[in-house]
Amino acid sequence: MPQDCIIVGGGIAGLQAAIQLGRYSAYDVLVVDAGEGRSTLCRGYHNILGWPEGISGQELRARGRHQAESTGVRFARDRIVTAARTSAGTILLKGETGETYETYTTLLATGVSDRIPEIPGLVPLLGSSVYICPDCDGYEIEGKRTVLMGAGDAGANMALLLAERTHSLTYVNHESSRISPELLEQMGHASISYIEAAIVEIRSAAEGQIAQVILHDGTVLPAERGFIAFGGNKVHSDLARQLGAVLSDNGHVESDPRSKQTSVDNVWAAGDIALHAEQATVAMGEGSIAAIWINKALRVQKGKFDQRKSYNDGIIRTT
């Protein structure tokens, strides 16, 4: 028997949708999650209502899963690798484990993976004193000595944004990638220090607190805050493509701004996979909106299925 809804991805958007759908107390909802994603790396979200001191992505996910499970939502640890329509109009998903899942509706909340080079000391600082999103955490670097670790034009564009928040900013082009002359000129006008050199290590002064960025030639850059912008992030929209959903030029999934349904019936998209500002709070909102409209779709479908079952049982209902 197909699930009423399968949510692919157990990050912020997927969990918020699961909580919303679970609270209808009417559907079989399954979240299939590989246990990865941006929220597993972030040590602290500081722009979420009610958490001024910050909350880690891992804790937020754990709390969200517990909350969803309390409403009857189930979870499976797997990575969905293929998606297709069946002749009956349902959606068939196949996992990396070999398991197959069938559903009437699906929400794709598979997110985006940032390209993060293997620099010793970097990952443990993400979300605590090294950041990715200028909209989320530009506030955290105000007046702080900041080192932006990046590559090419992606890093240069980020540097120009961050220069509005601090007057002590150094951009280290870790891969010595080409930067357009125009961006180099703009960085000069903005008094951004620029270095082309590989980073070999990031040192901490205390747990979660960046202190120094060590370059290949031994140069030590003091830092109170850090940012990364290496470009080349991966949008996990392959399942949407397999199902025939329209993708934007940058690989994100296009969806109806009101319902978050994609161009394919009974397929929704929410979170960083969609076209939006890549923030946890936005992902939450999109997850809730998608779930509300999935509920609407399932109510229609449930009515059809119930009616069909009634006829098969020889019962004709009249109103």
PDB file of all heavy atoms in Angstrom, residues 115 147-156 170-180 184 187 193-199 215 221 229-230:
ATOM      1  N   ARG A 115      30.456  23.383  -1.059  1.00  0.00           N
ATOM      2  CA  ARG A 115      31.787  22.852  -1.365  1.00  0.00           C
ATOM      3  C   ARG A 115      32.748  23.369  -0.295  1.00  0.00           C
ATOM      4  O   ARG A 115      33.018  24.565  -0.218  1.00  0.00           O
ATOM      5  CB  ARG A 115      32.239  23.293  -2.758  1.00  0.00           C
ATOM      6  CG  ARG A 115      33.547  22.637  -3.181  1.00  0.00           C
ATOM      7  CD  ARG A 115      33.849  22.875  -4.644  1.00  0.00           C
ATOM      8  NE  ARG A 115      34.261  24.232  -4.930  1.00  0.00           N
ATOM      9  CZ  ARG A 115      35.517  24.669  -4.863  1.00  0.00           C
ATOM     10  NH1 ARG A 115      36.483  23.834  -4.501  1.00  0.00           N
ATOM     11  NH2 ARG A 115      35.818  25.926  -5.160  1.00  0.00           N
ATOM     12  N   VAL A 147      38.418  36.779   8.495  1.00  0.00           N
ATOM     13  CA  VAL A 147      39.123  36.199   7.356  1.00  0.00           C
ATOM     14  C   VAL A 147      38.113  35.418   6.523  1.00  0.00           C
ATOM     15  O   VAL A 147      37.453  34.504   7.025  1.00  0.00           O
ATOM     16  CB  VAL A 147      40.269  35.271   7.805  1.00  0.00           C
ATOM     17  CG1 VAL A 147      40.905  34.597   6.591  1.00  0.00           C
ATOM     18  CG2 VAL A 147      41.319  36.058   8.578  1.00  0.00           C
ATOM     19  N   LEU A 148      37.980  35.829   5.278  1.00  0.00           N
ATOM     20  CA  LEU A 148      37.126  35.121   4.329  1.00  0.00           C
ATOM     21  C   LEU A 148      37.975  34.117   3.567  1.00  0.00           C
ATOM     22  O   LEU A 148      38.958  34.485   2.917  1.00  0.00           O
ATOM     23  CB  LEU A 148      36.474  36.106   3.358  1.00  0.00           C
ATOM     24  CG  LEU A 148      35.808  35.495   2.127  1.00  0.00           C
ATOM     25  CD1 LEU A 148      34.633  34.603   2.527  1.00  0.00           C
ATOM     26  CD2 LEU A 148      35.345  36.581   1.169  1.00  0.00           C
ATOM     27  N   MET A 149      37.610  32.864   3.660  1.00  0.00           N
ATOM     28  CA  MET A 149      38.315  31.787   2.956  1.00  0.00           C
ATOM     29  C   MET A 149      37.452  31.371   1.771  1.00  0.00           C
ATOM     30  O   MET A 149      36.319  30.936   1.951  1.00  0.00           O
ATOM     31  CB  MET A 149      38.542  30.612   3.906  1.00  0.00           C
ATOM     32  CG  MET A 149      39.447  30.968   5.072  1.00  0.00           C
ATOM     33  SD  MET A 149      39.277  29.863   6.504  1.00  0.00           S
ATOM     34  CE  MET A 149      37.854  30.618   7.342  1.00  0.00           C
ATOM     35  N   GLY A 150      38.001  31.522   0.558  1.00  0.00           N
ATOM     36  CA  GLY A 150      37.179  31.241  -0.605  1.00  0.00           C
ATOM     37  C   GLY A 150      37.994  30.974  -1.839  1.00  0.00           C
ATOM     38  O   GLY A 150      39.177  30.635  -1.777  1.00  0.00           O
ATOM     39  N   ALA A 151      37.324  31.143  -2.988  1.00  0.00           N
ATOM     40  CA  ALA A 151      37.976  30.890  -4.265  1.00  0.00           C
ATOM     41  C   ALA A 151      37.377  31.792  -5.330  1.00  0.00           C
ATOM     42  O   ALA A 151      36.144  31.931  -5.410  1.00  0.00           O
ATOM     43  CB  ALA A 151      37.826  29.422  -4.680  1.00  0.00           C
ATOM     44  N   GLY A 152      38.229  32.412  -6.118  1.00  0.00           N
ATOM     45  CA  GLY A 152      37.815  33.143  -7.299  1.00  0.00           C
ATOM     46  C   GLY A 152      36.757  34.204  -7.084  1.00  0.00           C
ATOM     47  O   GLY A 152      36.702  34.867  -6.045  1.00  0.00           O
ATOM     48  N   ASP A 153      35.899  34.332  -8.107  1.00  0.00           N
ATOM     49  CA  ASP A 153      34.865  35.361  -8.070  1.00  0.00           C
ATOM     50  C   ASP A 153      33.844  35.129  -6.960  1.00  0.00           C
ATOM     51  O   ASP A 153      33.271  36.081  -6.422  1.00  0.00           O
ATOM     52  CB  ASP A 153      34.144  35.435  -9.414  1.00  0.00           C
ATOM     53  CG  ASP A 153      34.985  36.107 -10.492  1.00  0.00           C
ATOM     54  OD1 ASP A 153      36.068  36.628 -10.172  1.00  0.00           O
ATOM     55  OD2 ASP A 153      34.544  36.126 -11.660  1.00  0.00           O
ATOM     56  N   ALA A 154      33.579  33.858  -6.632  1.00  0.00           N
ATOM     57  CA  ALA A 154      32.625  33.560  -5.555  1.00  0.00           C
ATOM     58  C   ALA A 154      33.080  34.207  -4.254  1.00  0.00           C
ATOM     59  O   ALA A 154      32.290  34.843  -3.538  1.00  0.00           O
ATOM     60  CB  ALA A 154      32.471  32.055  -5.378  1.00  0.00           C
ATOM     61  N   GLY A 155      34.361  34.061  -3.947  1.00  0.00           N
ATOM     62  CA  GLY A 155      34.892  34.671  -2.743  1.00  0.00           C
ATOM     63  C   GLY A 155      34.933  36.184  -2.830  1.00  0.00           C
ATOM     64  O   GLY A 155      34.655  36.879  -1.849  1.00  0.00           O
ATOM     65  N   ALA A 156      35.267  36.713  -4.010  1.00  0.00           N
ATOM     66  CA  ALA A 156      35.346  38.167  -4.176  1.00  0.00           C
ATOM     67  C   ALA A 156      33.982  38.814  -3.976  1.00  0.00           C
ATOM     68  O   ALA A 156      33.861  39.857  -3.323  1.00  0.00           O
ATOM     69  CB  ALA A 156      35.902  38.502  -5.556  1.00  0.00           C
ATOM     70  N   THR A 170      39.995  40.264   5.436  1.00  0.00           N
ATOM     71  CA  THR A 170      41.010  39.707   4.543  1.00  0.00           C
ATOM     72  C   THR A 170      40.398  38.560   3.762  1.00  0.00           C
ATOM     73  O   THR A 170      39.781  37.660   4.354  1.00  0.00           O
ATOM     74  CB  THR A 170      42.218  39.175   5.337  1.00  0.00           C
ATOM     75  OG1 THR A 170      42.817  40.254   6.066  1.00  0.00           O
ATOM     76  CG2 THR A 170      43.252  38.562   4.396  1.00  0.00           C
ATOM     77  N   TYR A 171      40.562  38.600   2.447  1.00  0.00           N
ATOM     78  CA  TYR A 171      40.091  37.512   1.593  1.00  0.00           C
ATOM     79  C   TYR A 171      41.289  36.675   1.167  1.00  0.00           C
ATOM     80  O   TYR A 171      42.194  37.166   0.495  1.00  0.00           O
ATOM     81  CB  TYR A 171      39.352  38.077   0.371  1.00  0.00           C
ATOM     82  CG  TYR A 171      39.056  37.066  -0.724  1.00  0.00           C
ATOM     83  CD1 TYR A 171      38.850  35.717  -0.454  1.00  0.00           C
ATOM     84  CD2 TYR A 171      38.960  37.479  -2.051  1.00  0.00           C
ATOM     85  CE1 TYR A 171      38.575  34.798  -1.465  1.00  0.00           C
ATOM     86  CE2 TYR A 171      38.675  36.576  -3.075  1.00  0.00           C
ATOM     87  CZ  TYR A 171      38.496  35.231  -2.766  1.00  0.00           C
ATOM     88  OH  TYR A 171      38.226  34.334  -3.766  1.00  0.00           O
ATOM     89  N   VAL A 172      41.271  35.387   1.556  1.00  0.00           N
ATOM     90  CA  VAL A 172      42.317  34.451   1.154  1.00  0.00           C
ATOM     91  C   VAL A 172      41.749  33.572   0.032  1.00  0.00           C
ATOM     92  O   VAL A 172      40.841  32.777   0.258  1.00  0.00           O
ATOM     93  CB  VAL A 172      42.785  33.573   2.327  1.00  0.00           C
ATOM     94  CG1 VAL A 172      43.875  32.609   1.852  1.00  0.00           C
ATOM     95  CG2 VAL A 172      43.300  34.437   3.470  1.00  0.00           C
ATOM     96  N   ASN A 173      42.294  33.742  -1.146  1.00  0.00           N
ATOM     97  CA  ASN A 173      41.902  32.938  -2.303  1.00  0.00           C
ATOM     98  C   ASN A 173      42.656  31.611  -2.212  1.00  0.00           C
ATOM     99  O   ASN A 173      43.755  31.456  -2.733  1.00  0.00           O
ATOM    100  CB  ASN A 173      42.235  33.691  -3.593  1.00  0.00           C
ATOM    101  CG  ASN A 173      41.709  33.001  -4.838  1.00  0.00           C
ATOM    102  OD1 ASN A 173      41.307  31.844  -4.804  1.00  0.00           O
ATOM    103  ND2 ASN A 173      41.719  33.731  -5.950  1.00  0.00           N
ATOM    104  N   HIS A 174      42.029  30.663  -1.522  1.00  0.00           N
ATOM    105  CA  HIS A 174      42.674  29.398  -1.167  1.00  0.00           C
ATOM    106  C   HIS A 174      43.162  28.619  -2.384  1.00  0.00           C
ATOM    107  O   HIS A 174      44.195  27.932  -2.322  1.00  0.00           O
ATOM    108  CB  HIS A 174      41.680  28.554  -0.363  1.00  0.00           C
ATOM    109  CG  HIS A 174      42.112  27.155  -0.082  1.00  0.00           C
ATOM    110  ND1 HIS A 174      43.182  26.851   0.732  1.00  0.00           N
ATOM    111  CD2 HIS A 174      41.611  25.957  -0.514  1.00  0.00           C
ATOM    112  CE1 HIS A 174      43.314  25.535   0.798  1.00  0.00           C
ATOM    113  NE2 HIS A 174      42.391  24.967   0.049  1.00  0.00           N
ATOM    114  N   GLU A 175      42.439  28.713  -3.485  1.00  0.00           N
ATOM    115  CA  GLU A 175      42.794  27.943  -4.684  1.00  0.00           C
ATOM    116  C   GLU A 175      43.481  28.791  -5.749  1.00  0.00           C
ATOM    117  O   GLU A 175      43.723  28.313  -6.859  1.00  0.00           O
ATOM    118  CB  GLU A 175      41.529  27.294  -5.244  1.00  0.00           C
ATOM    119  CG  GLU A 175      40.905  26.294  -4.257  1.00  0.00           C
ATOM    120  CD  GLU A 175      39.510  25.853  -4.664  1.00  0.00           C
ATOM    121  OE1 GLU A 175      38.936  26.456  -5.596  1.00  0.00           O
ATOM    122  OE2 GLU A 175      39.001  24.905  -4.051  1.00  0.00           O
ATOM    123  N   SER A 176      43.759  30.047  -5.410  1.00  0.00           N
ATOM    124  CA  SER A 176      44.371  30.984  -6.366  1.00  0.00           C
ATOM    125  C   SER A 176      43.595  31.019  -7.687  1.00  0.00           C
ATOM    126  O   SER A 176      44.174  31.118  -8.776  1.00  0.00           O
ATOM    127  CB  SER A 176      45.838  30.618  -6.623  1.00  0.00           C
ATOM    128  OG  SER A 176      46.594  30.734  -5.428  1.00  0.00           O
ATOM    129  N   SER A 177      42.278  30.920  -7.583  1.00  0.00           N
ATOM    130  CA  SER A 177      41.422  30.951  -8.774  1.00  0.00           C
ATOM    131  C   SER A 177      41.352  32.364  -9.330  1.00  0.00           C
ATOM    132  O   SER A 177      41.477  33.352  -8.594  1.00  0.00           O
ATOM    133  CB  SER A 177      40.013  30.473  -8.419  1.00  0.00           C
ATOM    134  OG  SER A 177      40.046  29.225  -7.758  1.00  0.00           O
ATOM    135  N   ARG A 178      41.113  32.444 -10.622  1.00  0.00           N
ATOM    136  CA  ARG A 178      41.054  33.744 -11.286  1.00  0.00           C
ATOM    137  C   ARG A 178      39.915  34.597 -10.726  1.00  0.00           C
ATOM    138  O   ARG A 178      38.819  34.105 -10.471  1.00  0.00           O
ATOM    139  CB  ARG A 178      40.867  33.576 -12.800  1.00  0.00           C
ATOM    140  CG  ARG A 178      40.818  34.895 -13.553  1.00  0.00           C
ATOM    141  CD  ARG A 178      40.501  34.696 -15.021  1.00  0.00           C
ATOM    142  NE  ARG A 178      40.464  35.971 -15.726  1.00  0.00           N
ATOM    143  CZ  ARG A 178      39.405  36.783 -15.753  1.00  0.00           C
ATOM    144  NH1 ARG A 178      38.295  36.443 -15.116  1.00  0.00           N
ATOM    145  NH2 ARG A 178      39.452  37.925 -16.414  1.00  0.00           N
ATOM    146  N   ILE A 179      40.214  35.880 -10.574  1.00  0.00           N
ATOM    147  CA  ILE A 179      39.204  36.865 -10.190  1.00  0.00           C
ATOM    148  C   ILE A 179      39.151  37.918 -11.279  1.00  0.00           C
ATOM    149  O   ILE A 179      40.193  38.358 -11.786  1.00  0.00           O
ATOM    150  CB  ILE A 179      39.542  37.525  -8.833  1.00  0.00           C
ATOM    151  CG1 ILE A 179      39.567  36.456  -7.729  1.00  0.00           C
ATOM    152  CG2 ILE A 179      38.538  38.610  -8.487  1.00  0.00           C
ATOM    153  CD1 ILE A 179      39.940  37.012  -6.374  1.00  0.00           C
ATOM    154  N   SER A 180      37.952  38.322 -11.635  1.00  0.00           N
ATOM    155  CA  SER A 180      37.820  39.315 -12.699  1.00  0.00           C
ATOM    156  C   SER A 180      38.475  40.626 -12.282  1.00  0.00           C
ATOM    157  O   SER A 180      38.462  40.983 -11.093  1.00  0.00           O
ATOM    158  CB  SER A 180      36.343  39.557 -13.011  1.00  0.00           C
ATOM    159  OG  SER A 180      35.721  40.282 -11.968  1.00  0.00           O
ATOM    160  N   LEU A 184      38.483  42.729  -8.571  1.00  0.00           N
ATOM    161  CA  LEU A 184      39.723  43.105  -7.888  1.00  0.00           C
ATOM    162  C   LEU A 184      39.767  44.602  -7.612  1.00  0.00           C
ATOM    163  O   LEU A 184      40.161  45.046  -6.526  1.00  0.00           O
ATOM    164  CB  LEU A 184      40.923  42.693  -8.740  1.00  0.00           C
ATOM    165  CG  LEU A 184      41.315  41.215  -8.720  1.00  0.00           C
ATOM    166  CD1 LEU A 184      42.378  40.934  -9.774  1.00  0.00           C
ATOM    167  CD2 LEU A 184      41.826  40.821  -7.329  1.00  0.00           C
ATOM    168  N   MET A 187      37.332  45.433  -4.793  1.00  0.00           N
ATOM    169  CA  MET A 187      37.860  45.051  -3.483  1.00  0.00           C
ATOM    170  C   MET A 187      38.908  46.050  -3.008  1.00  0.00           C
ATOM    171  O   MET A 187      38.976  46.380  -1.814  1.00  0.00           O
ATOM    172  CB  MET A 187      38.463  43.642  -3.537  1.00  0.00           C
ATOM    173  CG  MET A 187      37.433  42.526  -3.609  1.00  0.00           C
ATOM    174  SD  MET A 187      38.124  40.900  -3.172  1.00  0.00           S
ATOM    175  CE  MET A 187      39.380  40.701  -4.424  1.00  0.00           C
ATOM    176  N   SER A 193      41.743  43.427   2.213  1.00  0.00           N
ATOM    177  CA  SER A 193      43.059  42.812   2.011  1.00  0.00           C
ATOM    178  C   SER A 193      42.879  41.521   1.213  1.00  0.00           C
ATOM    179  O   SER A 193      41.958  40.737   1.490  1.00  0.00           O
ATOM    180  CB  SER A 193      43.724  42.494   3.355  1.00  0.00           C
ATOM    181  OG  SER A 193      43.931  43.690   4.087  1.00  0.00           O
ATOM    182  N   TYR A 194      43.774  41.309   0.254  1.00  0.00           N
ATOM    183  CA  TYR A 194      43.625  40.147  -0.630  1.00  0.00           C
ATOM    184  C   TYR A 194      44.917  39.352  -0.691  1.00  0.00           C
ATOM    185  O   TYR A 194      46.005  39.910  -0.908  1.00  0.00           O
ATOM    186  CB  TYR A 194      43.222  40.608  -2.030  1.00  0.00           C
ATOM    187  CG  TYR A 194      43.176  39.493  -3.047  1.00  0.00           C
ATOM    188  CD1 TYR A 194      42.291  38.435  -2.898  1.00  0.00           C
ATOM    189  CD2 TYR A 194      44.043  39.491  -4.138  1.00  0.00           C
ATOM    190  CE1 TYR A 194      42.251  37.404  -3.816  1.00  0.00           C
ATOM    191  CE2 TYR A 194      44.014  38.457  -5.074  1.00  0.00           C
ATOM    192  CZ  TYR A 194      43.120  37.410  -4.900  1.00  0.00           C
ATOM    193  OH  TYR A 194      43.081  36.383  -5.814  1.00  0.00           O
ATOM    194  N   ILE A 195      44.794  38.015  -0.490  1.00  0.00           N
ATOM    195  CA  ILE A 195      45.953  37.128  -0.502  1.00  0.00           C
ATOM    196  C   ILE A 195      45.617  35.899  -1.344  1.00  0.00           C
ATOM    197  O   ILE A 195      44.551  35.299  -1.181  1.00  0.00           O
ATOM    198  CB  ILE A 195      46.333  36.667   0.921  1.00  0.00           C
ATOM    199  CG1 ILE A 195      46.668  37.870   1.813  1.00  0.00           C
ATOM    200  CG2 ILE A 195      47.503  35.693   0.882  1.00  0.00           C
ATOM    201  CD1 ILE A 195      46.876  37.505   3.270  1.00  0.00           C
ATOM    202  N   GLU A 196      46.546  35.534  -2.219  1.00  0.00           N
ATOM    203  CA  GLU A 196      46.421  34.267  -2.950  1.00  0.00           C
ATOM    204  C   GLU A 196      47.378  33.276  -2.318  1.00  0.00           C
ATOM    205  O   GLU A 196      48.601  33.387  -2.479  1.00  0.00           O
ATOM    206  CB  GLU A 196      46.751  34.450  -4.434  1.00  0.00           C
ATOM    207  CG  GLU A 196      45.688  35.179  -5.223  1.00  0.00           C
ATOM    208  CD  GLU A 196      45.964  35.151  -6.717  1.00  0.00           C
ATOM    209  OE1 GLU A 196      46.913  34.463  -7.151  1.00  0.00           O
ATOM    210  OE2 GLU A 196      45.228  35.837  -7.461  1.00  0.00           O
ATOM    211  N   ALA A 197      46.840  32.318  -1.574  1.00  0.00           N
ATOM    212  CA  ALA A 197      47.683  31.332  -0.892  1.00  0.00           C
ATOM    213  C   ALA A 197      46.804  30.204  -0.375  1.00  0.00           C
ATOM    214  O   ALA A 197      45.642  30.416   0.000  1.00  0.00           O
ATOM    215  CB  ALA A 197      48.440  31.970   0.275  1.00  0.00           C
ATOM    216  N   ALA A 198      47.343  29.008  -0.344  1.00  0.00           N
ATOM    217  CA  ALA A 198      46.623  27.867   0.207  1.00  0.00           C
ATOM    218  C   ALA A 198      46.595  27.948   1.731  1.00  0.00           C
ATOM    219  O   ALA A 198      47.578  28.350   2.369  1.00  0.00           O
ATOM    220  CB  ALA A 198      47.278  26.565  -0.226  1.00  0.00           C
ATOM    221  N   ILE A 199      45.460  27.590   2.291  1.00  0.00           N
ATOM    222  CA  ILE A 199      45.307  27.537   3.746  1.00  0.00           C
ATOM    223  C   ILE A 199      45.617  26.115   4.195  1.00  0.00           C
ATOM    224  O   ILE A 199      45.069  25.141   3.650  1.00  0.00           O
ATOM    225  CB  ILE A 199      43.874  27.915   4.159  1.00  0.00           C
ATOM    226  CG1 ILE A 199      43.545  29.335   3.666  1.00  0.00           C
ATOM    227  CG2 ILE A 199      43.688  27.809   5.665  1.00  0.00           C
ATOM    228  CD1 ILE A 199      42.073  29.672   3.712  1.00  0.00           C
ATOM    229  N   LEU A 215      48.659  29.930   6.609  1.00  0.00           N
ATOM    230  CA  LEU A 215      48.850  29.772   5.175  1.00  0.00           C
ATOM    231  C   LEU A 215      50.025  28.847   4.864  1.00  0.00           C
ATOM    232  O   LEU A 215      50.847  28.547   5.731  1.00  0.00           O
ATOM    233  CB  LEU A 215      49.071  31.140   4.534  1.00  0.00           C
ATOM    234  CG  LEU A 215      47.989  32.195   4.800  1.00  0.00           C
ATOM    235  CD1 LEU A 215      48.282  33.469   4.016  1.00  0.00           C
ATOM    236  CD2 LEU A 215      46.600  31.669   4.469  1.00  0.00           C
ATOM    237  N   LEU A 221      47.445  34.499  10.062  1.00  0.00           N
ATOM    238  CA  LEU A 221      46.465  35.581  10.024  1.00  0.00           C
ATOM    239  C   LEU A 221      45.578  35.503  11.270  1.00  0.00           C
ATOM    240  O   LEU A 221      44.815  34.544  11.430  1.00  0.00           O
ATOM    241  CB  LEU A 221      45.584  35.473   8.777  1.00  0.00           C
ATOM    242  CG  LEU A 221      46.295  35.528   7.423  1.00  0.00           C
ATOM    243  CD1 LEU A 221      45.282  35.319   6.299  1.00  0.00           C
ATOM    244  CD2 LEU A 221      47.019  36.863   7.246  1.00  0.00           C
ATOM    245  N   ALA A 229      33.470  30.920   1.136  1.00  0.00           N
ATOM    246  CA  ALA A 229      32.747  31.115  -0.131  1.00  0.00           C
ATOM    247  C   ALA A 229      33.615  30.521  -1.245  1.00  0.00           C
ATOM    248  O   ALA A 229      34.361  31.237  -1.907  1.00  0.00           O
ATOM    249  CB  ALA A 229      32.468  32.591  -0.383  1.00  0.00           C
ATOM    250  N   PHE A 230      33.504  29.215  -1.436  1.00  0.00           N
ATOM    251  CA  PHE A 230      34.326  28.537  -2.434  1.00  0.00           C
ATOM    252  C   PHE A 230      33.588  28.326  -3.757  1.00  0.00           C
ATOM    253  O   PHE A 230      34.193  27.951  -4.753  1.00  0.00           O
ATOM    254  CB  PHE A 230      34.814  27.193  -1.895  1.00  0.00           C
ATOM    255  CG  PHE A 230      35.790  27.335  -0.762  1.00  0.00           C
ATOM    256  CD1 PHE A 230      35.364  27.235   0.545  1.00  0.00           C
ATOM    257  CD2 PHE A 230      37.124  27.609  -1.007  1.00  0.00           C
ATOM    258  CE1 PHE A 230      36.255  27.384   1.601  1.00  0.00           C
ATOM    259  CE2 PHE A 230      38.027  27.762   0.039  1.00  0.00           C
ATOM    260  CZ  PHE A 230      37.590  27.653   1.344  1.00  0.00           C
TER     261      PHE A 230
END
